[in-house]
Amino acid sequence: MGTDIDQDEKISLKGSRDVASQLFKLLGPSKKKLPVIFLVLILSTIATLSGPALIAYGIDHGIQRKNYRVLETTSIMFIVSIILAIVLSRIQIKLMASTGEKLLRDLRIKLFRHLSKLSLSFYDSQPTGKLVARMTSDFDAMEDLVQQGLVIFTTNALLFLVALIVLAVMSLPLFLISISTLPPLILLSIWFQKRSKFAYLAVRDRIGKTLTTLQEGISGVKVIQAFVREEALVKSFRKQNEAQLSANLKAIVISIKYFPVLEATGVISTALILGVGGVFVHHHVVAFGVVVAFILYLNSLYDPIQQMSQLFSQIQSTGAALSKVFDILNTKIDVPIRANAVSIGKSYDVELNNVSFSYKPSLPAALEKIQLLVPEGESIALVGPTGAGKSTLAKLIARFHDPSEGFISIGGIDLKDIQESSLRQALVVVPQEGFLFAGNVKDNVRLAKPDASDSEVISALEKIGVLDRFLALENGLETELFERGSQLSAGERQLISLARAALLDPKILILDEATSNLDPHLESKVEIAVESLSMGRTTIIIAHRLSTAMRQDKIAVIDNARLVELGSHDELIKKNGRYSLLFNSWQRNVA
Ligand code: ADP
């Protein structure tokens, strides 16, 4: 398991630099806010650190010299500095969190757009479910960091550095004594950071396994009871639970070792400053107030080390998550772009003219001499066995690849001559499994068109007849979709994808029908949604169910890279060929 975690969570130095520079680019206009954020950060650090300095001044110049004016001023300034520190740190949290949230939102939209472009071809090599889960949990991790971690980390880093400078300026000998305990403490913190990272990853892994067992147990409870398997299930659950407990205990033992040593080091440093500082005061090397300030400042040295070592692994794994997201964003579609490309004209007929295609010259053709016309506004179902070439055909129409021979046209214009932006606006691909992100239902639909108003989102849901389904959720459209959208079923996730497409309102729709089994009620909802969505649009559906296929204007049967039959349901049934064979055997199975 150790090596798995290593590969998953580590990020190289070069990787970190790439991630940082890509993030910076993504900041866009928010870049202007960075100097302000930095200024507020500096000011709040100064305000925080001015407290002990003011106390020192008050003791040495007020109490010792019996100067009540100084005492009064320093006391008031002390209160002001504390208030300032609180106010500034609030402003700083707000600024950083809002910039971070905006950055995440932009990143999400960018990723969604990119995946919609890549979708079909990208999933050639990536298992969809895993990718979606991974990405959603990656975003959850980033959200945590943006909301709290980053502010705590930067504040503490700066606090530590500025505290070092202040101490060095106040008294060099006492400064040297204070930092004498730091090297072993930093080494210990590095050890803690490494060990606790593995321990917590193990705990996370264990929680996942326990939940899986629990979920399997609950969803399969009827089968389990029928086969009198309760005992075995309870046994397996108990085992998982014990493993989780022991992983948790390991994590706790590591903390038990670290924190007392950290505290002890703090106590030793305080004692050293008190003892040596006392002698120094006696010999007039330093003022009495300075020793008091040093003791107070020690907190600003020890706290940040502890906070940063706890956050370090979170930052590291977020960095790894970000670098994966950027990997996806950097995946390019391998079709050339022509300089003098044009927009799509007024017509949206889709035509394949003698199209052949193979993924590599060495591979057999995935499509051979396909001649096919889908007139504007009509729908066609692609039907055929797995590996026949249906997805390949859809990918070529969406221009994820160019044909090896022949050409595809929209409204008579060769796809190669159409501007990318014009094509992406006219054509939308609805993948089998939609991506959901943490956020409410509305935001998830809006992902396709970030500037859409609430009423646009609602009307998109209404258009495909699913508004009531989502309004019935606990908080209606405001329901937060946590846990990778797992409270939504596969069918509901597809409904969200369909609503996104409705929001974009494309002229051409390519739809990869979900293969997962849906409950009958939901299945009819999805079917109705697909039907309303395809109304009036040129629609190409990769149909996995004949019940879907039979409802389209035309059906194209693809087998072994060739178009073997084409016609309406009735025509093909009359023809008594491949489709009619398929259909009859399906009907017999259903009945
Ligand atoms: P279907 O959608 O009908 O199941 P596909 O269009 O996915 O079929 O596949 C058609 C053929 O092309 C299959 O033999 C498949 O193995 C091959 N193929 C699909 N994608 C790729 C790819 N990215 N690289 C190489 N071969 C591929």
Side-chain angles (χ1 to χ4, degrees):
M1 191 188 73
T3 51
D4 261 13
I5 292 169
D6 255 2
Q7 281 174 1
D8 242 29
E9 307 279 331
K10 259 197 186 154
I11 170 166
S12 67
L13 196 63
K14 184 178 169 299
S16 320
R17 248 186 271 131
D18 286 351
V19 167
S21 83
Q22 296 221 39
L23 263 186
F24 190 68
K25 254 192 243 152
L26 201 70
L27 265 174
S30 303
K31 270 181 213 145
K32 285 196 210 107
K33 271 199 196 158
L34 289 184
V36 181
I37 293 179
F38 193 65
L39 187 71
V40 177
L41 188 64
I42 298 263
L43 289 178
S44 92
T45 310
I46 291 175
T48 309
L49 289 178
S50 61
L54 283 168
I55 290 175
Y57 193 82
I59 292 175
D60 292 337
H61 297 86
I63 299 177
Q64 304 268 52
R65 295 184 193 168
K66 294 201 175 65
N67 185 338
Y68 296 121
R69 261 197 84 83
V70 170
L71 212 50
E72 198 180 282
T73 327
T74 42
S75 302
I76 294 171
M77 280 175 71
F78 181 74
I79 294 174
V80 172
S81 76
I82 300 288
I83 295 174
L84 257 180
I86 294 171
V87 172
L88 285 170
S89 94
R90 292 256 146 164
I91 297 177
Q92 185 204 338
I93 290 172
K94 264 204 172 146
L95 274 175
M96 279 183 86
S98 74
T99 313
E101 287 287 347
K102 198 174 158 305
L103 184 80
L104 275 191
R105 197 197 65 189
D106 292 350
L107 189 61
R108 237 176 236 160
I109 292 168
K110 217 172 144 130
L111 189 65
F112 172 75
R113 291 240 165 113
H114 195 72
L115 280 172
S116 334
K117 278 192 217 169
L118 287 179
S119 37
L120 290 169
S121 61
F122 191 63
Y123 298 129
D124 289 351
S125 54
Q126 301 271 345
T128 326
K130 196 173 164 205
L131 187 83
V132 171
R134 176 79 234 196
M135 251 163 24
T136 323
S137 71
D138 286 350
F139 268 96
D140 288 349
M142 288 184 227
E143 199 96 36
D144 285 349
L145 188 69
V146 161
Q147 275 166 2
Q148 318 161 0
L150 209 55
V151 178
I152 300 177
F153 194 85
T154 44
T155 314
N156 279 294
L158 205 65
L159 202 59
F160 180 75
L161 288 177
V162 179
L164 280 182
I165 296 171
V166 171
L167 291 185
V169 171
M170 281 182 98
S171 158
L172 202 56
L174 282 187
F175 165 73
L176 292 175
I177 294 171
S178 314
I179 59 165
S180 63
T181 46
L182 283 186
L185 193 62
I186 288 173
L187 285 179
L188 180 74
S189 298
I190 293 173
W191 169 87
F192 169 72
Q193 186 269 318
K194 278 198 181 135
R195 292 294 298 267
S196 70
K197 180 175 129 187
F198 284 112
Y200 281 110
L201 282 174
V203 171
R204 225 167 58 187
D205 190 46
R206 278 286 143 209
I207 293 177
K209 285 198 172 122
T210 312
L211 283 179
T212 315
T213 320
L214 192 62
Q215 196 184 6
E216 279 167 3
I218 291 171
S219 56
V221 83
K222 281 214 180 83
V223 186
I224 291 159
Q225 283 170 352
F227 292 98
V228 204
R229 294 266 302 147
E230 292 105 316
E231 231 359 85
L233 184 80
V234 170
K235 224 175 175 177
S236 120
F237 185 67
R238 187 173 294 142
K239 216 173 105 198
Q240 294 292 356
N241 222 351
E242 267 160 21
Q244 185 180 329
L245 178 71
S246 100
N248 252 326
L249 284 178
K250 263 191 203 141
I252 291 169
V253 165
I254 293 167
S255 297
I256 290 176
K257 282 185 190 154
Y258 174 67
F259 288 103
V261 179
L262 185 81
E263 292 213 345
T265 324
V267 171
I268 292 171
S269 300
T270 311
L272 272 176
I273 295 288
L274 189 67
V276 181
V279 176
F280 280 2
V281 172
H282 202 67
H283 290 95
H284 302 287
V285 181
V286 292
F288 174 55
V290 172
V291 177
V292 176
F294 258 78
I295 292 173
L296 293 173
Y297 275 129
L298 282 181
N299 276 341
S300 302
L301 281 188
Y302 286 91
D303 271 2
I305 296 178
Q306 180 199 337
Q307 303 256 14
M308 287 193 289
S309 69
Q310 279 178 318
L311 276 169
F312 196 71
S313 39
Q314 194 189 354
I315 290 187
Q316 233 186 2
S317 56
T318 308
L322 269 175
S323 97
K324 283 201 188 100
V325 170
F326 284 128
D327 272 353
I328 296 175
L329 283 178
N330 293 335
T331 313
K332 292 239 162 35
I333 303 172
D334 60 345
V335 290
I337 295 163
R338 279 198 189 160
N340 48 358
V342 296
S343 317
I344 299 182
K346 292 222 163 46
S347 153
Y348 292 91
D349 293 341
V350 173
E351 189 166 13
L352 284 87
N353 299 283
N354 219 8
V355 167
S356 299
F357 176 75
S358 52
Y359 282 94
K360 274 187 203 134
S362 54
L363 289 174
L367 290 175
E368 258 185 88
K369 299 202 174 1
I370 306 276
Q371 189 72 36
L372 179 69
L373 170 71
V374 191
E376 179 169 348
E378 284 196 6
S379 62
I380 190 165
L382 306 179
V383 177
T386 306
K390 305 179 296 290
S391 314
T392 307
L393 205 158
K395 281 184 231 172
L396 292 192
I397 297 174
R399 207 176 172 216
F400 296 139
H401 306 282
D402 281 335
S404 319
E405 272 171 49
F407 69 98
I408 300 175
S409 62
I410 294 180
I413 308 174
D414 189 333
L415 270 190
K416 288 181 198 149
D417 293 326
I418 294 173
Q419 277 167 1
E420 153 105 11
S421 58
S422 171
L423 180 68
R424 297 294 156 220
Q425 206 177 7
L427 181 149
V428 165
V429 179
V430 180
Q432 271 200 18
E433 198 169 340
F435 324 105
L436 291 185
F437 291 104
N440 63 29
V441 174
K442 260 193 266 176
D443 293 340
N444 264 287
V445 174
R446 214 194 311 265
L447 206 57
K449 194 178 163 194
D451 52 354
S453 66
D454 274 6
S455 63
E456 279 180 88
V457 171
I458 292 172
S459 100
L461 286 163
E462 208 165 18
K463 253 190 239 161
I464 58 165
V466 299
L467 185 60
D468 52 344
R469 175 113 200 165
F470 289 107
L471 282 178
L473 292 177
E474 203 185 339
N475 290 319
L477 301 183
E478 309 285 340
T479 308
E480 291 291 323
L481 304 179
F482 305 114
E483 295 173 25
R484 301 155 204 190
S486 64
Q487 77 264 51
L488 292 191
S489 63
E492 285 168 323
R493 284 207 291 274
Q494 177 144 76
L495 290 180
I496 298 244
S497 294
L498 292 169
R500 281 176 186 156
L503 190 63
L504 289 170
D505 194 19
K507 296 283 186 194
I508 304 168
L509 187 69
I510 296 184
L511 213 151
D512 195 358
E513 189 181 25
T515 42
S516 37
N517 281 324
L518 308 179
D519 72 71
H521 178 64
L522 199 55
E523 188 164 326
S524 77
K525 270 269 175 214
V526 173
E527 278 173 7
I528 293 168
V530 167
E531 210 162 315
S532 346
L533 188 62
S534 61
M535 202 87 76
R537 302 178 212 278
T538 315
T539 308
I540 294 111
I541 300 185
I542 303 173
H544 300 291
R545 295 169 226 272
L546 289 183
S547 55
T548 307
M550 61 186 283
R551 276 204 294 269
Q552 311 313 318
D553 297 317
K554 274 198 194 121
I555 295 157
V557 182
I558 315 276
D559 192 10
N560 206 3
R562 287 178 181 275
L563 174 64
V564 291
E565 260 178 30
L566 177 69
S568 70
H569 172 77
D570 293 339
E571 283 165 5
L572 293 186
I573 291 290
K574 258 188 226 144
K575 201 171 160 197
N576 236 345
R578 284 292 298 271
Y579 178 75
S580 126
L581 268 175
L582 268 175
F583 191 75
N584 289 336
S585 83
W586 173 68
Q587 268 203 323
R588 251 180 283 142
N589 278 337
V590 172

